[in-house]
C-alpha cells in the first residue's frame, strides 16, 4: 500500500512539473512575441514623429498668471499718483541733478556708478527733457517742463518687478507655490519698499538687478550642464549682477553671494565620483570665464557710455586731476594749449593733490598761533594750508637753490626727477619750509610753513626733492598737468601731504598740509595745474601779474578712455567727502535697522502736515527679524542632533533646508554685516538689500515650520490653527500697510493728532509742521 501511494505521489509531481513547464513555455512564447512586436511599433511611432516634425514647428509659451498678478498689483501701487508730490523729495536733489547733467552732456562726479542714472536719463531723453531744472533744494516745486512721472518711472517699474522676481526665485529654489506667492505679497505691502520705489532713487533699481541675477543664477545651477539654457542663464546672471554693481557699489556684496553659491555647488560636485577631475576643472574654468569676462565687458561698456556722454566741463571737475579736466570741453583745456608744459627754474605754478579733496597748496601772511589749545607750541611761522578755491595765494615759484633770480631766461632750465628745488610763495616771497615741529592738527606729522627768519635757533630747511612717480610714462622732466610728483623734504626725508583734516578758525577752516615720514601714500602725490614762466624779477610786477592771472578754457584734449576710466575708478573708490557716521539727523546704525528704530523724513508739505516718511511695515520687519533667530535655532538644533546620529528630517527636506537656507541666510549676512564697519553716515535704505533676503528667509521658515507640523504633529486641528495664525498675521500686515500708507504717498492732509497717532515708537521723528485741523 505504501509503495502504491508513493508511486501515485511521484506521478502527480511529474504531471505537475509538466504542466508548469508547459505554462512557462507558453508564457515565454507570449513574452517573446510581444517583444518581437515592440520594435516594429516603436519604429512606426518614430517614423510618425519624424514625419510630423518635418511637417510643422511647434512653439509653446507658458504664462504664469500668479507672477503677472503680482506684477500688476505692484505696478498699480508704485505708479499711483507717481507725479505727486511735484516737489523735490529727499535724494532726488542729487540723482535728479545728475540726470539733468546727463541731458546737458555735463560731467559730474558721484561716488556710485552711473547705470541707474543712465536708465532714468535715457527715458527722460525720450520725452525730450532738456535738463534745465537744477534740483537745488529738497522741497522745491518742480517747474512745468519737468516730466516728473517719467523721471520716477524707472525706479517704480523696477520696484514693481521685485515682487514677481521674488516669486520666481522661490519657485526656482523648489519651494511651494503658496510660499513664493507670500514672498511677492510681502514685498508689495512693505511700506518702505513702496516709498523707495516711487522717487528718483537708486535702491529699487539695485534690488531689481540683484533679484534678477539670483533668479538666473539658480536656474543656471538647475539647468543641464553645457546645454544652451545653461550658458544662457550663466551669461544673464553675470550681466544682471554686474548691472547691480554698476548702479551702486553695495551691489558687490550680492556678487560675493553669487560667488559663494557657485563655489558651494562646485564643492558639492567634488564628492560625485562619477565625474572625473578633468570635467570638474573644465567646469570651473568655463564658469570662471563667463563670470569674469562678461562683468568686465559690461562694466567697461557702462563707463565708456558715461564718459562719452559727459564731455563738457561741469561743477564737479575740481575733484578730478588736472589732466582729466583738460579732456573736457570748456574745462582746463587751455592749460595744455596755451601754457608751457615743462617746469623750469622760474616757473609759476599751482599745485593740486592728484588724489583726494579738490584744493590747492596755499599760503597767506597769517602765522601759526604760538600755542595750541592742547598747550603744544608751534614755530609761529607763516601758515601753509590747502584751499578749496582758486586764489592768488595758490601761486608758487619754482627756484633752483643755486640761483638767486626767479626769471625764466631765453633757454628754460628744466627741473628733472631727483633734483632739489625751493618753492617760493608768489605773493609773500617766503619759501616752503618744514622742520621737526608737530603739525597743528596731526601732531604725528611735521609742520609745513613758509620760513620767517626770527634770528633764533631755527634755521631754514627749504630743500625739496622732486620725485616723479609716473616717469615711466611721462619721462624724467617735470611737466605740468601730467606728471605726478612727490615733494620730499631733503632734511627729514618726509613727503608733503594733504592730511585731510580741517584747521580751526585761526587757519580760516582751510585744510591742513603736513610733512609725513610715510612717503608712499596717495595723499603725497601732487601735480602742477596752472603754469606760467616768470618774465620779471621785480616783486611788484610779479604780484600784479599773479593778481590779474586768468585762464580761459578754449578747446578740448583727448586722453585715452582707459586712462580716464582708471582715474575715475580711483576717485570713486577712495574719495572721502568727510561725511562721518551719525552726522545726519536722520542717520541710523545697523543696530537700529532690524527693529526699525529710526526712519527718514523725505518731504513735508510747506502748508500742511502731509509728508513722506520712510518707514517699513512693522509687522513684516519684526517677523523677518524673528525668522532669522528661528532659522539659526533650528540650524543649531539639527546640526547637534545629526552629530548624535539623530536624523530628524527626511533626506529631501534636510537637503532643501540646507540649500535654500544657506543661500538666503548668507545673502542676509553678506548685505548686512559690512555696514558695521562703514564709517560714512548710514540711513535706513542702506538696509534694503539685506531686508529682501530677510523677507525671503521669513517665507522659507514659515514653510519649514509647516512641514515640521505635518511630519510630527499631523493633526487636522493643529494644521488648521497654523493656517489661521498665518492668515491673522497677513491681516495684520495689511492693517499696518493701510495705516502708514499716508506716509508713502504724502497726499493726505494730516492733523497734529493724526501725526502723533502714527508715532508708534518714541524714536520715530515725524515732522509736525503746523498744528492744522483736517
Amino acid at each position: 500500500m505504501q509503495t502504491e501511494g508513493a508511486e501515485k505521489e511521484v506521478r502527480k509531481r511529474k504531471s505537475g512539473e509538466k504542466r508548469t513547464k508547459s505554462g512557462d513555455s507558453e508564457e515565454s512564447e507570449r513574452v517573446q512575441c510581444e517583444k518581437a512586436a515592440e520594435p516594429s511599433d516603436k519604429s512606426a511611432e518614430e517614423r510618425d514623429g519624424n514625419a510630423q516634425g518635418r511637417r510643422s514647428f511647434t512653439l509653446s509659451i507658458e504664462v504664469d498668471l500668479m507672477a503677472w498678478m503680482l506684477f500688476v498689483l505692484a505696478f498699480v501701487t508704485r505708479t499711483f499718483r507717481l507725479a505727486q508730490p511735484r516737489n523735490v523729495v529727499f535724494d532726488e536733489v542729487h540723482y535728479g541733478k545728475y540726470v539733468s547733467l546727463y541731458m546737458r552732456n555735463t560731467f559730474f562726479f558721484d561716488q556710485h556708478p552711473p547705470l541707474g542714472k543712465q536708465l532714468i536719463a535715457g527715458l527722460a531723453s525720450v520725452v525730450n527733457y532738456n535738463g534745465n531744472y537744477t534740483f537745488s533744494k529738497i522741497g522745491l516745486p518742480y517747474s512745468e517742463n519737468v516730466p516728473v512721472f517719467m523721471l520716477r518711472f524707472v525706479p517704480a517699474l523696477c520696484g514693481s518687478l521685485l515682487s514677481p522676481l521674488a516669486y520666481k526665485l522661490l519657485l526656482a529654489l523648489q519651494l511651494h507655490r503658496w510660499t513664493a506667492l507670500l514672498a511677492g505679497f510681502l514685498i508689495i505691502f512693505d511700506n518702505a519698499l513702496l516709498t523707495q520705489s516711487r522717487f528718483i532713487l537708486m535702491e529699487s533699481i539695485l534690488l531689481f538687478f540683484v533679484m534678477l541675477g539670483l533668479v538666473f543664477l539658480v536656474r543656471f545651477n538647475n539647468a543641464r550642464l553645457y546645454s544652451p539654457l545653461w550658458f544662457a542663464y550663466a551669461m544673464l546672471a553675470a550681466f544682471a549682477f554686474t548691472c547691480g554693481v554698476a548702479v551702486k557699489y553695495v551691489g558687490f556684496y550680492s556678487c560675493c553671494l553669487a560667488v559663494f553659491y557657485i563655489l558651494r555647488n562646485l564643492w558639492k560636485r567634488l564628492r560625485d565620483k562619477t565625474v572625473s577631475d578633468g570635467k570638474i576643472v573644465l567646469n570651473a574654468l568655463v564658469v570662471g570665464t563667463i563670470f569674469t569676462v562678461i562683468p568686465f565687458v559690461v562694466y567697461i561698456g557702462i563707463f565708456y557710455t558715461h564718459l562719452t556722454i559727459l564731455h563738457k566741463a561741469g561743477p564737479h571737475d575740481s575733484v578730478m586731476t588736472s589732466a582729466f579736466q583738460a579732456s573736457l570741453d570748456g574745462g582746463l583745456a587751455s592749460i595744455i594749449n596755451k601754457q608751457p608744459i615743462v617746469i623750469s627754474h622760474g616757473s609759476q605754478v599751482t599745485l593740486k593733490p592728484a588724489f583726494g579733496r579738490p584744493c590747492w597748496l596755499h599760503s597767506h601772511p597769517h602765522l601759526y598761533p604760538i600755542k595750541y589749545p592742547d598747550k603744544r607750541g608751534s614755530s609761529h611761522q607763516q601758515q601753509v594750508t590747502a584751499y578749496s578755491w582758486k586764489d592768488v595765494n595758490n601761486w608758487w615759484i619754482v627756484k633752483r637753490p643755486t640761483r638767486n633770480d626767479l626769471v625764466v631766461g631765453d633757454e628754460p632750465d628744466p627741473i628733472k626727477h631727483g633734483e632739489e628745488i625751493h618753492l617760493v610763495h608768489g605773493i609773500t616771497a617766503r619759501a616752503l619750509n618744514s622742520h621737526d615741529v608737530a603739525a597743528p592738527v596731526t601732531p604725528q606729522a611735521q609742520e609745513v610753513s613758509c620760513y620767517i627768519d626770527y634770528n633764533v635757533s631755527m634755521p631754514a630747511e627749504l630743500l625739496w626733492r622732486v620725485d616723479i612717480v609716473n616717469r615711466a610714462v611721462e619721462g624724467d622732466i617735470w611737466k605740468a598737468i601730467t606728471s605726478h610728483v612727490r615733494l620730499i623734504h631733503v632734511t627729514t626725508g618726509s613727503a608733503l601731504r594733504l592730511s585731510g583734516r580741517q584747521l580751526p578758525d585761526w587757519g580760516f577752516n582751510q585744510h591742513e598740509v603736513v610733512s609725513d615720514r610715510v612717503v608712499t601714500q596717495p595723499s603725497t602725490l601732487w601735480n602742477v595745474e596752472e603754469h606760467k614762466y616768470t618774465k620779471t624779477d621785480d616783486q611788484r610786477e610779479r604780484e600784479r601779474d599773479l593778481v590779474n592771472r586768468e585762464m580761459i578754457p578754449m578747446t578740448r584734449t583727448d586722453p585715452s578712455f582707459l586712462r580716464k576710466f582708471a582715474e575715475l575708478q580711483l576717485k570713486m573708490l577712495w574719495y572721502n567727502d568727510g561725511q562721518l557716521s551719525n552726522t545726519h539727523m536722520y542717520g541710523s546704525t545697523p543696530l537700529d535697522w532690524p527693529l526699525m528704530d529710526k526712519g527718514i523724513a523725505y518731504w513735508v508739505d510747506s502748508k500742511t502736515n502731509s509728508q513722506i516718511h520712510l518707514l517699513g511695515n512693522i509687522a513684516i520687519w519684526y517677523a523677518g527679524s524673528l525668522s532669522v533667530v528661528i532659522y539659526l535655532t533650528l540650524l543649531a538644533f539639527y546640526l547637534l542632533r545629526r552629530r548624535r546620529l539623530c536624523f530628524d528630517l527626511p533626506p529631501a527636506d534636510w537637503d532643501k533646508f540646507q540649500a535654500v537656507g544657506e543661500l538666503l541666510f548668507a545673502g542676509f549676512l553678506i548685505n548686512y554685516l559690512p555696514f558695521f564697519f562703514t564709517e560714512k553716515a548710514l540711513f535706513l535704505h542702506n538696509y534694503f538689500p539685506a531686508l529682501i533676503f530677510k523677507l525671503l528667509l521669513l517665507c522659507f521658515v514659515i514653510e519649514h515650520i509647516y512641514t515640521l507640523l505635518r511630519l510630527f504633529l499631523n493633526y487636522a486641528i493643529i494644521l488648521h490653527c497654523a493656517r489661521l495664525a498665518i492668515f491673522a498675521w497677513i491681516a495684520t500686515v495689511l492693517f499696518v500697510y493701510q495705516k502708514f500708507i499716508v506716509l508713502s504717498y504724502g497726499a493726505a492732509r494730516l492733523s497734529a493728532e493724526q501725526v502723533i497717532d502714527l508715532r508708534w515708537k518714541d524714536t520715530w521723528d515725524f515732522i509736525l509742521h503746523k498744528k492744522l485741523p483736517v
Side-chain angles (χ1 to χ4, degrees):
M1 294 293 293
Q2 292 177 354
T3 304
E4 291 177 0
E7 290 176 353
K8 290 179 180 179
E9 186 66 28
V10 169
R11 284 196 297 272
K12 287 180 181 179
R13 284 200 298 270
K14 288 183 178 180
S15 64
E17 290 173 1
K18 289 179 180 179
R19 285 196 301 272
T20 301
K21 290 179 179 178
S22 175
D24 292 344
S25 176
E26 292 174 0
E27 179 68 19
S28 176
E29 290 176 1
R30 184 178 63 81
V31 171
Q32 289 175 1
C33 290
E34 289 177 356
K35 288 182 177 180
E38 281 179 5
S40 61
D41 293 342
K42 286 184 178 179
S43 60
E45 291 175 359
E46 289 174 358
R47 287 195 300 270
D48 293 342
N50 293 335
Q52 183 69 20
R54 287 192 295 270
R55 286 195 299 269
S56 64
F57 174 76
T58 302
L59 177 65
S60 61
I61 300 176
E62 294 183 3
V63 177
D64 192 329
L65 293 179
M66 288 293 187
W68 277 100
M69 180 193 73
L70 290 172
F71 170 71
V72 171
L73 182 58
F75 186 77
V76 169
T77 60
R78 269 62 181 168
T79 57
F80 176 69
R81 295 176 61 91
L82 187 61
Q84 301 299 324
R86 282 192 65 89
N87 301 85
V88 179
V89 175
F90 193 54
D91 274 350
E92 285 187 338
V93 73
H94 300 301
Y95 297 120
K97 185 181 299 181
Y98 298 148
V99 171
S100 291
L101 291 172
Y102 261 123
M103 297 296 99
R104 305 199 302 268
N105 304 110
T106 301
F107 178 80
F108 64 85
F109 176 80
D110 182 23
Q111 284 189 276
H112 296 294
L115 179 60
K117 282 88 71 177
Q118 286 177 350
L119 294 176
I120 298 174
L123 186 60
S125 66
V126 172
V127 296
N128 298 319
Y129 171 52
N130 57 20
N132 287 333
Y133 190 75
T134 58
F135 294 86
S136 56
K137 185 180 179 181
I138 296 175
L140 287 182
Y142 285 111
S143 59
E144 291 299 324
N145 67 329
V146 179
V148 180
F149 183 92
M150 299 307 291
L151 289 176
R152 293 173 177 171
F153 182 77
V154 171
L157 178 62
C158 291
S160 304
L161 290 168
L162 285 180
S163 180
L165 283 175
Y167 168 81
K168 287 292 187 181
L169 175 61
L170 293 192
L171 286 183
L173 291 171
Q174 300 179 351
L175 269 65
H176 290 106
R177 190 172 295 273
W178 65 265
T179 305
L181 191 61
L182 177 62
F185 169 87
L186 295 180
I187 288 176
I188 292 174
F189 292 101
D190 180 72
N191 301 74
L193 294 176
L194 168 65
T195 304
Q196 199 72 11
S197 300
R198 289 177 44 80
F199 303 104
I200 311 173
L201 305 171
M202 296 296 109
E203 277 69 29
S204 61
I205 306 176
L206 165 67
L207 295 177
F208 163 72
F209 282 118
V210 169
M211 293 295 292
L212 184 66
L214 281 172
V215 171
F216 287 136
L217 186 66
V218 174
R219 289 185 174 181
F220 153 73
N221 183 63
N222 296 337
R224 182 169 57 85
L225 194 64
Y226 302 135
S227 65
L229 277 179
W230 186 87
F231 281 104
Y233 285 141
M235 290 187 288
L236 288 171
F239 173 81
F241 280 118
T242 307
C243 289
V245 176
V247 173
K248 271 195 163 185
Y249 276 133
V250 292
F252 174 74
Y253 300 142
S254 296
C255 291
C256 294
L257 175 66
V259 172
F260 164 77
Y261 186 71
I262 292 170
L263 294 178
R264 186 74 178 89
N265 291 319
L266 184 62
W267 179 260
K268 289 179 180 178
R269 287 198 70 200
L270 290 177
R271 63 187 177 192
D272 187 355
K273 295 184 178 179
T274 62
V275 181
S276 66
D277 295 344
K279 289 182 178 179
I280 290 177
V281 172
L282 177 62
N283 185 20
L285 290 175
V286 172
V287 173
T289 301
I290 292 174
F291 283 88
T292 301
V293 174
I294 290 180
F296 178 79
V297 173
V298 171
Y299 191 75
I300 289 287
I302 290 169
F303 273 90
Y304 181 81
T305 303
H306 177 70
L307 293 174
T308 301
I309 294 174
L310 305 182
H311 58 81
K312 297 180 181 179
H316 301 161
D317 297 356
S318 59
V319 174
M320 311 306 294
T321 62
S322 305
F324 191 103
Q325 295 177 62
S327 70
L328 302 172
D329 290 340
L332 294 173
S334 64
I335 294 177
I336 289 181
N337 292 331
K338 288 195 161 188
Q339 72 181 16
I341 298 299
V342 176
I343 309 299
S344 304
H345 168 82
S347 288
Q348 299 174 10
V349 299
T350 62
L351 286 162
K352 180 183 177 184
F355 300 99
R357 184 181 300 277
C359 52
W360 293 265
L361 188 66
H362 178 92
S363 187
H364 40 236
H366 302 277
L367 310 179
Y368 288 112
I370 297 175
K371 283 193 176 293
Y372 300 120
D374 60 2
K375 307 303 181 184
R376 291 185 298 112
S378 77
S379 64
H380 197 49
Q381 299 204 354
Q382 183 171 304
Q383 295 176 17
V384 171
T385 66
Y387 192 45
S388 299
W389 306 96
K390 294 296 184 77
D391 187 88
V392 66
N393 283 305
N394 298 346
W395 286 94
W396 301 80
I397 302 175
V398 178
K399 175 183 177 297
R400 285 196 180 276
T402 56
R403 294 178 60 175
N404 294 323
D405 65 298
L406 295 175
V407 179
V408 177
D410 294 335
E411 294 187 6
D413 182 8
I415 306 297
K416 297 181 180 179
H417 170 74
E419 293 186 341
E420 297 174 0
I421 62 168
H422 289 165
L423 279 174
V424 179
H425 188 239
I427 297 298
T428 63
R430 290 177 175 143
L432 190 70
N433 177 78
S434 185
H435 38 223
D436 191 13
V437 176
V441 184
T442 310
Q444 63 269 27
Q446 293 179 180
E447 177 191 86
V448 175
S449 65
C450 279
Y451 182 74
I452 303 174
D453 187 2
Y454 287 121
N455 293 318
V456 295
S457 58
M458 185 174 284
E461 300 178 49
L462 311 177
L463 287 177
W464 298 86
R465 186 178 71 249
V466 176
D467 280 0
I468 303 175
V469 177
N470 59 344
R471 63 184 180 280
V473 176
E474 299 298 333
D476 286 337
I477 296 178
W478 189 7
K479 299 174 184 175
I481 306 293
T482 57
S483 292
H484 288 179
V485 302
R486 285 193 175 98
L487 296 172
I488 307 299
H489 189 237
V490 174
T491 308
T492 61
S494 55
L496 189 70
R497 180 172 81 88
L498 176 68
S499 72
R501 298 185 176 184
Q502 197 168 22
L503 295 172
D505 292 341
W506 56 257
F508 307 98
N509 302 115
Q510 296 176 13
H511 308 296
E512 182 190 41
V513 173
V514 301
S515 186
D516 200 320
R517 295 184 184 275
V518 181
V519 173
T520 55
Q521 48 184 318
S523 54
T524 59
L525 291 176
W526 301 78
N527 75 284
V528 170
E529 184 174 274
E530 299 179 62
H531 178 214
K532 189 176 181 180
Y533 286 159
T534 306
K535 296 300 183 182
T536 176
D537 218 4
D538 182 82
Q539 173 69 14
R540 291 185 178 276
E541 290 187 20
R542 284 204 311 269
E543 286 184 15
R544 281 196 297 270
D545 183 45
L546 292 173
V547 169
N548 295 327
R549 184 68 46 80
E550 182 179 5
M551 307 298 294
I552 302 175
M554 299 293 288
T555 57
R556 171 188 174 199
T557 58
D558 193 19
S560 70
F561 160 72
L562 290 179
R563 180 172 178 176
K564 294 175 67 176
F565 170 77
E567 180 184 331
L568 186 56
Q569 291 302 295
L570 288 173
K571 292 287 186 179
M572 293 169 67
L573 290 172
W574 300 111
Y575 180 74
N576 180 13
D577 58 3
Q579 191 179 22
L580 300 178
S581 179
N582 296 326
T583 58
H584 197 284
M585 64 179 298
Y586 288 103
S588 54
T589 68
L591 292 176
D592 298 326
W593 299 339
L595 300 181
M596 204 171 54
D597 287 336
K598 203 167 186 181
I600 309 174
Y602 273 11
W603 170 82
V604 63
D605 189 88
S606 59
K607 299 178 181 178
T608 72
N609 284 321
S610 300
Q611 58 187 281
I612 294 170
H613 200 98
L614 185 69
L615 279 179
N617 190 315
I618 199 168
I620 298 176
W621 285 49
Y622 277 48
S625 298
L626 180 62
S627 71
V628 174
V629 177
I630 294 174
Y631 171 77
L632 289 175
T633 303
L634 288 172
L635 179 62
F637 174 77
Y638 291 148
L639 292 177
L640 290 173
R641 291 276 293 170
R642 293 178 76 86
R643 189 67 176 172
R644 300 283 294 172
L645 300 181
C646 299
F647 304 102
D648 301 294
L649 294 177
D653 290 321
W654 170 246
D655 290 341
K656 180 189 285 188
F657 183 83
Q658 271 191 308
V660 180
E662 278 181 1
L663 176 64
L664 300 182
F665 184 66
F668 170 74
L669 288 184
I670 288 174
N671 284 280
Y672 179 54
L673 293 182
F675 289 105
F676 283 93
F677 309 97
T678 301
E679 295 182 355
K680 292 184 179 181
L682 298 174
F683 299 91
L684 185 63
H685 56 74
N686 296 124
Y687 185 55
F688 285 177
L691 172 67
I692 288 290
F693 285 98
K694 189 171 75 170
L695 297 189
L696 298 177
L697 184 65
L698 168 61
C699 298
F700 168 67
V701 168
I702 291 174
E703 177 179 309
H704 185 72
I705 291 175
Y706 191 78
T707 301
L708 293 179
L709 293 177
R710 295 186 63 181
L711 286 174
F712 301 108
L713 297 172
N714 194 15
Y715 300 104
I717 184 65
I718 293 178
L719 296 179
H720 283 311
C721 289
R723 296 188 193 103
L724 285 175
I726 293 174
F727 284 121
W729 171 65
I730 291 175
T732 305
V733 168
L734 291 174
F735 169 76
V736 176
Y737 172 80
Q738 184 274 334
K739 179 76 174 177
F740 288 92
I741 199 170
V742 293
L743 300 180
S744 296
Y745 290 104
R749 182 185 178 96
L750 300 174
S751 67
E753 291 75 16
Q754 288 174 317
V755 174
I756 295 172
D757 182 56
L758 291 173
R759 196 167 180 258
W760 286 9
K761 299 187 72 171
D762 293 337
T763 53
W764 292 357
D765 297 326
F766 295 149
I767 297 176
L768 195 59
H769 195 71
K770 287 184 179 181
K771 293 188 176 181
L772 295 174
V774 178

